[in-house]
């Protein structure tokens, strides 16, 4: 009886995949330019994430901006400015009650 043999299986390597270069993050158009007391809600490495949170908080009636510093290139979502630390504490609580986002008061200055 003849023995049937199968041809050896060879794997073809997949063609190399080249990812298209990613476009730079869109410029943030609502940057924080005034020093003062703010409530910081988050700090993100991607501007799109900061912009999304800023839009959400702004839709709830808060004044938002996005602050960056050259030292670490994070995009901080800030609410304010408000007159002082006590006002920042009050706004922090209002934001937590309305949005469930926890923030903290911070004195922000665009140049450090």
């Amino acid at each position: 009886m003849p023995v049937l043999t199968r041809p050896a299986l060879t794997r073809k390597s997949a063609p190399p995949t080249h990812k298209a270069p990613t476009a730079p993050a869109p410029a943030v158009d609502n940057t924080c330019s005034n020093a003062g007391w703010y409530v910081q809600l988050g700090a993100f490495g991607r501007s799109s994430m900061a912009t999304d949170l800023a839009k959400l908080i702004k839709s709830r009636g808060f004044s938002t901006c996005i602050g960056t510093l050259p030292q670490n290139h994070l995009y901080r979502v800030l609410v304010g400015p408000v007159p002082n630390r006590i006002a920042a504490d009050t706004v922090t609580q209002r934001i937590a009650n309305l949005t469930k986002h926890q923030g903290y008061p911070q004195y922000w200055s665009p140049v450090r």
Side-chain angles (χ1 to χ4, degrees), residues 15-53:
T17 57
H18 296 285
K19 292 184 180 180
T22 57
V28 178
D29 61 349
N30 59 338
T31 58
C32 299
S33 57
N34 297 323
W37 281 99
Y38 291 83
V39 175
Q40 181 171 322
L41 292 177
F44 303 94
R46 293 187 357 215
S47 65
S48 61
M49 293 177 74
T51 300
D52 290 346
L53 178 57

Side-chain angles (χ1 to χ4, degrees), residues 83-101:
N84 54 44
R85 170 70 189 249
I86 294 169
D89 286 332
T90 302
V91 171
T92 299
Q93 190 60 49
R94 283 185 48 223
I95 292 169
N97 291 339
L98 292 173
T99 68
K100 297 190 170 61
H101 285 277

Side-chain angles (χ1 to χ4, degrees), residues 28-36 38-47 50-51 54 63-80 104 106-112:
V28 178
D29 61 349
N30 59 338
T31 58
C32 299
S33 57
N34 297 323
Y38 291 83
V39 175
Q40 181 171 322
L41 292 177
F44 303 94
R46 293 187 357 215
S47 65
T51 300
S63 174
T64 63
C65 62
I66 298 174
T68 59
L69 295 174
Q71 297 92 317
N72 60 18
H73 306 289
L74 292 175
Y75 299 91
R76 291 168 177 79
V77 178
L78 303 171
V79 175
Y104 60 90
Q106 175 181 331
Y107 188 86
W108 167 261
S109 177
V111 180
R112 288 192 181 180

